[in-house]
Amino acid sequence: MVNVVVDGRLDVGAVRSHFPALKQNQVFLDNAGGTQVLSDVIDSIRTHLEETNVQLGASYHVGQKATEKYNDGLKAAAEFMNARVDEIVIGPSTTQLFSNLSQAFALSFPDGAEIICSSIDHEANISSWVRLAKIRKLTLKWWTPSQDPADLRLTADNLRPLLSDKTKLVTCTHTSNILGTIHNIKAIADEVHTVSGAMLCVDGVALAPHREVDVKSLGVDFYSFSWYKVYGPHIAVLYGSQAAQQKVASLGHYFLSPADDLATKLGLAAASYELVASIPSVLAYLGPDRKRTWSAVAAHEQRLQEILLDYLNKRDDVVVYSERSADSKLRVPVISFSVKGKSSREVVEKVDGCSPFGIRWGHFYSKRMVDDLLGLKTDGVIRVSMVHYNTEQEIRDLVSVLDQVLS
């Protein structure tokens, strides 16, 4: 990120200059569904299609250039997560990558094995494991942290009673795409690994746009997120530790060596060349000192969510789900709520009708939680999902619109 962190504080005007979509008369507050794309990412994709749109691995000049750009994209994707290139695979979506992983696990789990799934996750990190358990007749346990919608935090303590010597896989989210609550994945990973051979698979989609991801520090076995949630192209990445990869069968062609890397095992030639080649533009935007950048992002986002949460928490007719604090150590600025006596759809459509604010209603593919734990089967929550290119004035203006609509 060049010249957008000044004296430790985010220069939001400079940030916004990197996102051409923000010039429209639309305030994007549905960012958990997909962020706007960096201009350098857009330029990279166009340039690749204009100049290097050939098959990889050829010996002629343009073929060599295309291969180099693709490999640079893989290196950047790995660097973003503090992983090695042979520990990642690129795919069309997090959902697809988890599905591929589940197929590769199909024969490796012994009879009687147990899978533990978080019930507050996006369906991307649930459906594949439910299907695997059904096909293999494995035991599926649901990890529900609480029946209280105000306290849906996954912890090592509320996981522990579910673990047994038969546990082979635990799946959970780093941050809920509904609640915004940040879970202590390091502590959860340590707890999972008290069981010999047990692995942890984490959905990091809702965290990656807001915080640094370091898979080695977290101690996870598998971790995935989507680049289109992180200012980049519509592809995703899955990390698998060296140890965990030993339990992953190859889905690739018989003549490819399954022991080389995760991409050979799970990639299935699904990584779009031009999109992979654009990933270095995301890292370039974050700058050489990404820790400093992420720290400035977290501080700015805390100010954004303070404005909205201060308003919502004061209203007797509003229910804010799970974390009500604006502390950036506890949550990211993905805030969901409902209004007593009003449907979520009604509120959002009224906001649509009188303002440029793009917010959403629904279950956002966390349907099990929204239906069963929040009790909102009809039209789900109202979700406002902010990122660092949103401004404090935008959120103050949103509060004014909400006040008008809710009155």
Side-chain angles (χ1 to χ4, degrees):
M1 211 182 246
V2 180
N3 297 326
V4 298
V5 180
V6 180
D7 296 328
R9 190 179 178 98
L10 208 63
D11 182 341
V12 183
V15 165
R16 290 173 67 86
S17 70
H18 290 271
F19 295 90
L22 302 184
K23 298 174 183 177
Q24 303 173 78
N25 183 31
Q26 179 77 71
V27 179
F28 295 97
L29 294 171
D30 181 33
N31 296 292
T35 59
Q36 297 309 304
V37 181
L38 288 159
S39 56
D40 286 349
V41 169
I42 297 168
D43 291 343
S44 172
I45 294 169
R46 182 179 60 250
T47 299
H48 185 95
L49 291 174
E50 289 175 346
E51 299 178 3
T52 51
N53 189 34
V54 297
Q55 184 57 269
L56 304 183
S59 57
Y60 58 87
H61 173 67
V62 173
Q64 290 180 350
K65 187 176 179 181
T67 302
E68 181 181 2
K69 290 173 67 174
Y70 180 83
N71 288 337
D72 286 345
L74 293 179
K75 291 175 185 176
E79 182 184 339
F80 184 91
M81 308 172 75
N82 189 28
R84 291 171 23 175
V85 171
D86 60 0
E87 294 175 322
I88 68 165
V89 55
I90 302 290
S93 66
T94 294
T95 301
Q96 183 64 64
L97 287 171
F98 282 152
S99 180
N100 290 0
L101 180 60
S102 72
Q103 292 179 58
F105 275 153
L107 299 179
S108 65
F109 289 173
D111 293 344
E114 297 176 352
I115 298 175
I116 300 172
C117 286
S118 154
S119 60
I120 69 169
D121 271 44
H122 185 289
E123 194 67 15
N125 203 19
I126 294 179
S127 60
S128 293
W129 312 117
V130 171
R131 184 168 59 247
L132 176 61
K134 183 178 181 180
I135 291 171
R136 284 292 320 280
K137 295 181 172 54
L138 306 176
T139 299
L140 179 66
K141 294 181 177 179
W142 290 104
W143 179 10
T144 301
S146 169
Q147 295 297 327
D148 181 0
D151 185 26
L152 294 175
R153 185 183 298 275
L154 300 171
T155 68
D157 288 340
N158 55 42
L159 168 65
R160 190 174 300 118
L162 298 172
L163 295 170
S164 78
D165 59 2
K166 295 181 180 180
T167 302
K168 294 303 175 186
L169 182 70
V170 176
T171 72
C172 71
T173 181
H174 201 157
T175 298
S176 164
N177 73 321
I178 296 281
L179 308 175
T181 307
I182 301 173
H183 301 123
N184 187 342
I185 293 299
K186 170 60 175 170
I188 290 169
D190 288 346
E191 188 66 35
V192 170
H193 294 148
T194 62
V195 178
S196 178
M199 297 176 291
L200 177 65
C201 179
V202 178
D203 178 347
V205 170
L207 180 107
H210 308 282
R211 300 290 186 275
E212 182 181 29
V213 175
D214 185 339
V215 291
K216 299 299 173 65
S217 176
L218 293 171
V220 295
D221 298 288
F222 298 98
Y223 192 103
S224 185
F225 69 87
S226 299
W227 284 102
Y228 71 97
K229 308 292 178 78
V230 195
Y231 324 110
H234 206 299
I235 50 176
V237 60
L238 171 69
Y239 159 81
S241 72
Q242 288 289 307
Q245 285 188 46
Q246 303 309 308
K247 302 176 184 178
V248 176
S250 178
L251 305 181
H253 299 312
Y254 77 93
F255 53 83
L256 299 175
S257 172
D260 287 346
D261 52 48
L262 195 62
T264 301
K265 292 183 174 184
L266 300 181
L268 298 177
S272 165
Y273 301 160
E274 66 272 18
L275 302 188
V276 173
S278 73
I279 293 174
S281 296
V282 177
L283 273 70
Y285 167 74
L286 293 170
D289 188 349
R290 291 197 296 277
K291 287 185 181 295
R292 180 170 177 261
T293 300
W294 285 122
S295 177
V297 165
H300 173 66
E301 291 182 342
Q302 177 165 317
R303 292 189 290 272
L304 298 181
Q305 59 193 17
E306 280 175 348
I307 296 168
L308 182 57
L309 283 168
D310 182 61
Y311 169 73
L312 295 175
N313 285 332
K314 288 177 179 177
R315 291 194 65 105
D316 293 335
D317 59 345
V318 168
V319 178
V320 177
Y321 292 103
S322 202
E323 185 56 63
R324 297 169 68 90
S325 169
D327 188 342
S328 62
K329 295 182 179 65
L330 301 177
R331 65 146 50 249
V332 299
V334 177
I335 297 169
S336 296
F337 62 97
S338 62
V339 181
K340 297 174 184 176
K342 296 182 184 293
S343 76
S344 295
R345 179 174 182 172
E346 172 192 358
V347 172
V348 170
E349 290 183 348
K350 285 186 176 180
V351 171
D352 290 342
C354 68
S355 78
F357 295 104
I359 63 176
R360 291 282 296 272
W361 61 273
H363 56 70
F364 306 102
Y365 291 82
S366 293
K367 186 169 174 58
R368 296 172 195 265
M369 176 178 66
V370 171
D371 284 3
D372 301 336
L373 299 179
L374 304 188
L376 301 173
K377 294 185 178 182
T378 303
D379 55 6
V381 299
I382 302 160
R383 187 178 73 177
V384 179
S385 52
M386 302 163 277
V387 290
H388 70 284
Y389 55 60
N390 290 121
T391 70
E392 293 179 48
Q393 188 58 53
E394 286 177 338
I395 308 309
R396 283 191 286 268
D397 291 344
L398 172 65
V399 165
S400 296
V401 171
L402 286 172
D403 201 46
Q404 173 187 335
V405 167
L406 299 186
S407 298

